[in-house]
Amino acid sequence: MTIHSVVIQKLLTTNAHIGRQVSTHHFKQFTYGFRNRQSIIDSDKTLICLRNALNFLSCLSRDPSSSFLFINTNPLFQPIIDEMTSRVTSLSPERASSLWKMRGFLTNSCSPKKFRSRHKKLVFAPTKMPDCVVIFDTERKSSVFLEAERLGIPIVALVDSSIPWEYYKKVTYPIPANDSVQFVYLICNMITKCLMLEKKKDGAKGTGKKATIKDQVESTSESKGSASDEVLVVPYDNLAPMSCADIADSKQLLDKLVVVKYNGALGKNMGFGGPKSLIEVKNGSTPLDLIVNQIQSLNSKYGCNIPLLLMNPKNTHNDIVKALEKYSTLDVDIHPFEQGERTQHESFVSEGGEDKWQSSKHGTHFLSLMNSGTLDVLLAQGKEYALVVNPDNVAGVVDPKILNHLAQNSIEYCSEVTPTTSTGLINFMASSLQGMFKLEDFTSDHSEKSVKGFKFIDTRSLWLNLKAIKRLVDTSALNLDNLSTLKLFENSIGISIPQSRFLPLNSTSDLFLLQSDLYSFTEGMFVRNDARVSPSDPSIALGPEFEKISDFKRRFETIPSIVKLDSLEVNGDVWFGADIVLKGKVVIDASPGLTLRIPDGVVLEDEEINDPTDI
């Protein structure tokens, strides 16, 4: 019998799996269903959540100055909790006064308080705020939840099937279970053993005081020296392919993935009133259609379940939810979230700073979403990796090949990058297994004028290890000053993807490129035309007359063929007919007051056109 099965049997003997007659919607992820009108809690998920909570408490206990607040009002539990606290405090007498044990009493914002009498000083609580609050009976604890959230104190709590959403979302580490006396005894016993084990480890190492997270990161950076300012870039073509023979292994890996897409980018600069995700880019399909079709294709091919989380600001949420109605028949698990106008963690990751290779703003929204309780839910469901899709990149791909590389090499942070148009660098990367590049070699501004002097463009598509995110959120490492996001992760890389995998949608010039014959798409992924010889895309610059999507559509009967085009510049009142072919460098500049019409079927190669006689 395995250890896992033994622990599951212990959980079953404590009746931890027996819920209540009511099961709230957010709790259904932890249940099997109902039996005899009572919800049945999944013991496997209870065990996962329990391990996460114990791991968090163990990490906190490594610091001798840490303190815990145990909340309980059930008299049946109190002898068990008294025994636990007495054993834990005996491990370290100097922290006995900082280990809190109260019966449902949490002081207000001025907590804790000291009171002086004529003869002696009475201390109702330590003068130090607790690092964690552990709640054993969550009923009627609204004040505890609210004040712990206000003070930024993480909460570990037993939750049952009837806990309201407004309290559940405040729990950092929920443990879904029936709060029976036997289960509380089991948890207290496990907490005691975990803390004793950490104390034994510290004694064996002979360390007096545990270094803080900041000290650990700084010492790691010092030991690496100049390497901390460099990043390993791996060419996409050098990644090991996934085995097509073993579908079961591929399914198991893809079942650990969740895709997150932020829909805050608007199309106002193109005259589109809604989010960019709903702009038709090709054959009536939108960027949202593409990412949904990708996930649908993978789910069908491998039999996996990749959920899609959509983070929507208030000004785009209703439009996105309405657009989701057409996906109701697809095999895709889509969860839209409405975000506030400003996230509480927006200051954790700056877009500038000393390192110049930073997470984009949508990465900040992702961290806010993870801290809202969603992260614990995903971990409880067995999810380990997240792909945070750049909202501006319509060619972002849910790539099993990249996911496989992350899993095989224990990568915690991966940013997709693409070489600039330097042919020498492209040839170098094609012949090199891997390379170290300084952070100054990367830029997130992909405009033609801004990429000069840089070797890579950061596409702002991120692959993240959820367990690593959990570690950083729990230890507040994301609050560290003067450290980039990259340095916070133990193993970070960049993957150099082809330029065809990075197609931003910021203007009608970008829309022209997407709708041309240079690209087609299948299963939600853009595919470049094999007839294109140059490794880079042509440069497209359409004048202000084409700025709005409505004007753009009216001025083109059909999008010209540009497979052999190097650059196109259009200014003035220009109208295009059907079946036009553009090659080389083409400049069309209509004089002021002149309407210039390009006739059907014309071929323009290395030409500069100012009036009809030049055609």
XYZ file of all heavy atoms in Angstrom, residues 28-85:
472
model
N -17.689 23.484 -5.708
C -17.956 22.272 -6.471
C -16.711 21.673 -7.094
O -16.689 20.499 -7.452
C -19.000 22.560 -7.545
C -20.387 22.807 -6.962
C -21.415 23.048 -8.048
C -22.799 23.280 -7.448
N -23.816 23.545 -8.487
N -15.631 22.500 -7.242
C -14.379 21.973 -7.775
C -13.746 20.949 -6.833
O -12.906 20.158 -7.254
C -13.402 23.127 -7.988
C -13.116 23.876 -6.690
C -12.263 25.086 -6.889
O -11.260 25.002 -7.576
N -12.645 26.213 -6.306
N -14.154 20.936 -5.555
C -13.601 20.010 -4.587
C -14.507 18.809 -4.330
O -14.180 17.968 -3.494
C -13.353 20.717 -3.240
C -12.390 21.872 -3.316
C -12.797 23.148 -2.976
C -11.087 21.679 -3.738
C -11.921 24.221 -3.037
C -10.204 22.744 -3.806
C -10.612 24.011 -3.461
N -15.643 18.716 -5.007
C -16.606 17.669 -4.688
C -16.762 16.682 -5.835
O -16.505 16.990 -7.002
C -17.982 18.276 -4.364
O -18.464 18.977 -5.512
C -17.887 19.244 -3.192
N -17.191 15.472 -5.458
C -17.552 14.439 -6.431
C -19.004 14.581 -6.868
O -19.370 14.338 -7.997
C -17.370 13.055 -5.816
C -16.004 12.462 -6.012
C -15.281 11.986 -4.926
C -15.435 12.352 -7.275
C -14.025 11.426 -5.086
C -14.185 11.802 -7.455
C -13.477 11.332 -6.355
O -12.248 10.789 -6.538
N -19.846 14.967 -5.932
C -21.279 15.038 -6.177
C -22.024 14.927 -4.855
O -21.512 15.369 -3.815
N -23.195 14.326 -4.878
C -24.010 14.206 -3.668
C -24.371 12.744 -3.417
O -24.523 11.947 -4.357
C -25.296 15.035 -3.796
C -25.090 16.506 -3.649
C -24.698 17.271 -4.729
C -25.274 17.127 -2.424
C -24.510 18.637 -4.605
C -25.083 18.489 -2.282
C -24.703 19.246 -3.370
N -24.474 12.424 -2.144
C -24.947 11.111 -1.733
C -25.754 11.280 -0.459
O -25.279 11.881 0.510
C -23.769 10.160 -1.483
C -24.214 8.743 -1.160
C -23.043 7.810 -0.996
N -23.470 6.446 -0.753
C -22.644 5.424 -0.548
N -21.336 5.637 -0.579
N -23.122 4.217 -0.326
N -26.974 10.741 -0.489
C -27.896 10.905 0.635
C -28.070 12.384 0.983
O -28.066 12.775 2.157
C -27.401 10.125 1.863
C -27.365 8.636 1.621
O -28.148 8.103 0.834
N -26.431 7.952 2.281
N -28.141 13.205 -0.079
C -28.366 14.643 0.050
C -27.200 15.375 0.703
O -27.346 16.527 1.126
C -29.647 14.928 0.832
C -30.913 14.427 0.138
C -32.141 14.830 0.934
N -33.357 14.372 0.252
C -34.576 14.586 0.724
N -34.738 15.256 1.866
N -35.627 14.152 0.061
N -26.056 14.747 0.794
C -24.866 15.394 1.332
C -23.778 15.413 0.268
O -23.564 14.430 -0.444
C -24.354 14.659 2.583
C -25.248 14.839 3.801
C -24.664 14.163 5.025
O -24.298 12.990 4.965
N -24.575 14.889 6.117
N -23.089 16.541 0.161
C -22.005 16.653 -0.820
C -20.825 15.794 -0.364
O -20.518 15.702 0.825
C -21.564 18.113 -0.954
O -21.119 18.628 0.287
N -20.165 15.177 -1.332
C -19.010 14.323 -1.058
C -17.751 15.057 -1.527
O -17.615 15.400 -2.703
C -19.132 12.966 -1.772
C -20.445 12.285 -1.372
C -17.936 12.097 -1.450
C -20.577 12.023 0.108
N -16.830 15.289 -0.618
C -15.606 16.035 -0.905
C -14.538 15.077 -1.436
O -14.353 13.981 -0.902
C -15.107 16.763 0.357
C -16.203 17.697 0.883
C -13.836 17.543 0.074
C -15.879 18.348 2.211
N -13.851 15.509 -2.462
C -12.783 14.711 -3.078
C -11.580 14.671 -2.135
O -10.924 15.690 -1.894
C -12.391 15.325 -4.427
C -11.459 14.417 -5.223
O -10.820 13.540 -4.616
O -11.356 14.599 -6.450
N -11.255 13.507 -1.600
C -10.164 13.377 -0.637
C -8.807 13.664 -1.264
O -7.892 14.152 -0.586
C -10.171 11.974 -0.018
O -11.356 11.743 0.702
N -8.652 13.350 -2.546
C -7.383 13.652 -3.229
C -7.129 15.154 -3.241
O -6.002 15.605 -2.990
C -7.405 13.110 -4.663
C -7.219 11.604 -4.708
O -6.413 11.091 -3.908
O -7.874 10.946 -5.530
N -8.156 15.943 -3.525
C -7.987 17.390 -3.548
C -7.796 17.949 -2.139
O -7.070 18.923 -1.950
C -9.187 18.034 -4.241
C -9.278 17.676 -5.714
C -10.445 18.335 -6.403
C -10.476 17.964 -7.889
N -11.618 18.575 -8.601
N -8.449 17.328 -1.162
C -8.208 17.727 0.225
C -6.751 17.510 0.596
O -6.112 18.362 1.232
C -9.108 16.930 1.182
O -10.473 17.197 0.880
C -8.825 17.300 2.625
N -6.196 16.385 0.168
C -4.807 16.074 0.481
C -3.859 17.057 -0.196
O -2.871 17.506 0.406
C -4.487 14.640 0.043
C -3.060 14.136 0.331
C -2.748 14.240 1.819
C -2.904 12.704 -0.157
N -4.145 17.434 -1.447
C -3.302 18.404 -2.156
C -3.305 19.749 -1.438
O -2.251 20.357 -1.198
C -3.781 18.565 -3.609
C -3.541 17.270 -4.401
C -3.063 19.730 -4.291
C -4.126 17.294 -5.802
N -4.492 20.217 -1.071
C -4.602 21.501 -0.373
C -3.934 21.438 0.998
O -3.307 22.413 1.435
C -6.072 21.890 -0.222
S -6.904 22.248 -1.781
N -4.063 20.302 1.674
C -3.450 20.142 2.983
C -1.929 20.195 2.880
O -1.250 20.828 3.702
C -3.909 18.820 3.605
C -3.378 18.492 5.004
C -3.747 19.581 5.991
C -3.915 17.141 5.469
N -1.378 19.545 1.867
C 0.076 19.589 1.668
C 0.559 21.002 1.392
O 1.599 21.427 1.902
C 0.453 18.657 0.520
C 0.385 17.172 0.868
C 0.606 16.316 -0.360
N 0.633 14.891 -0.040
C 0.635 13.924 -0.941
N 0.599 14.240 -2.240
N 0.673 12.655 -0.572
N -0.180 21.741 0.567
C 0.202 23.121 0.273
C 0.201 23.980 1.532
O 1.115 24.788 1.751
C -0.745 23.722 -0.764
C -0.588 23.098 -2.133
O 0.468 22.560 -2.469
N -1.637 23.158 -2.943
N -0.812 23.808 2.370
C -0.895 24.589 3.602
C 0.233 24.237 4.557
O 0.864 25.126 5.156
C -2.253 24.360 4.266
N 0.519 22.953 4.706
C 1.597 22.532 5.612
C 2.954 22.997 5.106
O 3.835 23.370 5.894
C 1.580 21.004 5.769
C 0.373 20.421 6.510
C 0.403 18.896 6.475
C 0.322 20.912 7.955
N 3.129 22.980 3.800
C 4.387 23.458 3.232
C 4.574 24.949 3.516
O 5.684 25.406 3.825
C 4.411 23.197 1.734
C 5.697 23.645 1.081
O 6.780 23.129 1.382
N 5.605 24.608 0.188
N 3.478 25.702 3.431
C 3.546 27.133 3.728
C 3.896 27.370 5.200
O 4.762 28.205 5.522
C 2.211 27.779 3.384
C 2.090 29.205 3.841
C 2.926 30.181 3.319
C 1.142 29.567 4.774
C 2.819 31.497 3.725
C 1.027 30.877 5.188
C 1.862 31.843 4.666
N 3.249 26.646 6.099
C 3.550 26.802 7.521
C 4.991 26.399 7.838
O 5.659 27.025 8.671
C 2.571 25.970 8.353
C 1.086 26.390 8.304
C 0.235 25.406 9.094
C 0.915 27.797 8.834
N 5.468 25.367 7.159
C 6.850 24.935 7.375
C 7.832 26.003 6.927
O 8.836 26.270 7.609
C 7.123 23.627 6.621
O 6.295 22.578 7.101
N 7.549 26.625 5.784
C 8.432 27.686 5.288
C 8.465 28.868 6.252
O 9.523 29.450 6.509
C 7.983 28.143 3.903
S 8.222 26.921 2.598
N 7.292 29.215 6.797
C 7.258 30.321 7.746
C 8.023 29.996 9.024
O 8.704 30.850 9.594
C 5.809 30.654 8.105
C 5.024 31.547 7.129
C 3.630 31.789 7.684
C 5.727 32.859 6.887
N 7.924 28.756 9.477
C 8.545 28.380 10.750
C 10.061 28.403 10.691
O 10.719 28.375 11.736
C 8.064 26.985 11.173
O 8.554 25.996 10.281
N 10.644 28.430 9.494
C 12.106 28.471 9.385
C 12.686 29.777 9.900
O 13.864 29.856 10.219
C 12.506 28.259 7.924
C 12.158 26.873 7.408
C 12.314 26.778 5.911
N 11.763 25.517 5.401
C 11.579 25.243 4.121
N 11.906 26.142 3.193
N 11.064 24.097 3.746
N 11.864 30.799 9.956
C 12.289 32.073 10.536
C 11.895 32.087 12.012
O 10.703 32.055 12.335
C 11.627 33.220 9.786
C 12.138 34.578 10.247
O 12.893 34.624 11.231
O 11.788 35.587 9.612
N 12.844 32.139 12.936
C 12.499 32.104 14.372
C 11.608 33.251 14.813
O 10.932 33.154 15.832
C 13.869 32.182 15.052
C 14.842 31.694 14.038
C 14.300 32.133 12.718
N 11.587 34.346 14.065
C 10.774 35.495 14.462
C 9.331 35.391 13.979
O 8.514 36.257 14.264
C 11.392 36.788 13.913
O 11.399 36.769 12.496
N 9.006 34.335 13.239
C 7.653 34.201 12.721
C 6.666 33.846 13.826
O 7.030 33.275 14.855
C 7.616 33.130 11.623
O 7.959 31.867 12.156
N 5.403 34.195 13.609
C 4.373 33.908 14.604
C 3.093 33.497 13.905
O 2.858 33.851 12.754
C 4.121 35.141 15.488
O 3.720 36.238 14.687
N 2.258 32.755 14.644
C 1.012 32.235 14.092
C -0.142 32.610 15.012
O 0.016 32.723 16.222
C 1.062 30.708 13.961
C 2.255 30.195 13.218
C 3.424 29.875 13.883
C 2.215 30.043 11.852
C 4.528 29.406 13.203
C 3.306 29.572 11.154
C 4.476 29.258 11.835
N -1.299 32.791 14.426
C -2.515 33.060 15.190
C -3.512 31.953 14.895
O -3.960 31.789 13.762
C -3.097 34.423 14.808
C -4.490 34.738 15.362
C -4.483 34.715 16.878
C -4.971 36.084 14.852
N -3.862 31.151 15.931
C -4.821 30.063 15.783
C -6.188 30.536 16.282
O -6.327 30.946 17.431
C -4.369 28.830 16.572
C -3.093 28.229 16.059
C -1.875 28.584 16.624
C -3.111 27.347 15.007
C -0.698 28.051 16.146
C -1.943 26.797 14.525
C -0.726 27.159 15.088
N -7.188 30.483 15.400
C -8.530 30.965 15.721
C -9.463 29.773 15.899
O -9.561 28.915 15.022
C -9.069 31.866 14.604
C -8.171 33.094 14.426
C -10.495 32.301 14.894
C -8.186 34.030 15.587
N -10.156 29.733 17.019
C -11.082 28.633 17.301
C -12.130 29.084 18.305
O -11.823 29.756 19.288
C -10.321 27.429 17.849
C -11.267 26.348 18.348
O -12.152 25.915 17.628
N -11.080 25.930 19.588
N -13.389 28.728 18.056
C -14.463 28.987 19.015
C -15.212 27.720 19.396
O -16.126 27.768 20.200
C -15.473 30.000 18.434
O -15.954 29.506 17.180
C -14.831 31.362 18.236
N -14.826 26.595 18.797
C -15.498 25.337 19.098
C -14.843 24.699 20.324
O -13.666 24.333 20.291
C -15.387 24.403 17.890
C -16.296 23.194 18.017
O -16.590 22.739 19.119
N -16.749 22.687 16.887
N -15.572 24.540 21.416
C -14.966 23.975 22.639
C -14.485 22.537 22.462
O -13.614 22.089 23.204
C -16.102 24.067 23.673
C -17.360 24.156 22.863
C -16.997 24.877 21.614
N -15.026 21.817 21.482
C -14.573 20.447 21.252
C -13.150 20.410 20.715
O -12.412 19.445 20.951
C -15.521 19.738 20.275
C -16.965 19.536 20.742
C -17.793 18.895 19.633
C -17.011 18.657 21.995
N -12.759 21.455 19.989
C -11.421 21.489 19.394
C -10.360 22.023 20.355
O -9.174 21.779 20.164
C -11.409 22.377 18.143
C -12.367 21.952 17.077
C -12.740 22.839 16.068
C -12.900 20.667 17.060
C -13.621 22.468 15.074
C -13.797 20.287 16.060
C -14.155 21.188 15.075
N -10.783 22.746 21.394
C -9.816 23.504 22.179
C -8.761 22.652 22.874
O -7.584 23.011 22.870
C -10.553 24.378 23.201
C -9.706 25.534 23.706
C -9.188 26.382 22.567
O -9.944 26.779 21.679
N -7.890 26.644 22.584
N -9.097 21.503 23.479
C -8.039 20.685 24.102
C -6.994 20.232 23.085
O -5.798 20.153 23.418
C -8.817 19.499 24.689
C -10.207 19.997 24.878
C -10.445 20.942 23.759
N -7.429 19.936 21.877
C -6.483 19.502 20.840
C -5.548 20.636 20.478
O -4.323 20.456 20.361
C -7.251 19.016 19.596
C -8.211 17.892 19.960
C -6.278 18.571 18.509
C -9.128 17.489 18.812
N -6.097 21.837 20.321
C -5.283 22.990 19.937
C -4.361 23.394 21.084
O -3.208 23.791 20.868
C -6.194 24.155 19.514
C -7.012 23.740 18.288
C -5.383 25.406 19.203
C -8.035 24.767 17.843
N -4.840 23.272 22.317
C -3.984 23.563 23.475
C -2.772 22.638 23.507
O -1.647 23.083 23.774
C -4.784 23.406 24.778
C -5.786 24.526 24.966
O -5.601 25.592 24.342
O -6.758 24.330 25.726
N -2.998 21.364 23.236
C -1.900 20.407 23.223
C -0.906 20.734 22.113
O 0.314 20.659 22.310
C -2.463 18.994 23.046
C -1.410 17.900 22.919
C -0.625 17.701 24.204
O -1.117 18.122 25.278
O 0.488 17.128 24.154
N -1.430 21.093 20.952
C -0.552 21.422 19.830
C 0.310 22.644 20.150
O 1.538 22.629 19.946
C -1.377 21.698 18.576
C -0.554 22.165 17.385
S -1.562 22.724 15.989
C -2.363 24.146 16.722
N -0.293 23.719 20.645
C 0.456 24.942 20.905
C 1.492 24.748 22.007
O 2.577 25.320 21.964
C -0.494 26.081 21.273
O -1.349 25.649 22.347
C -1.349 26.468 20.090
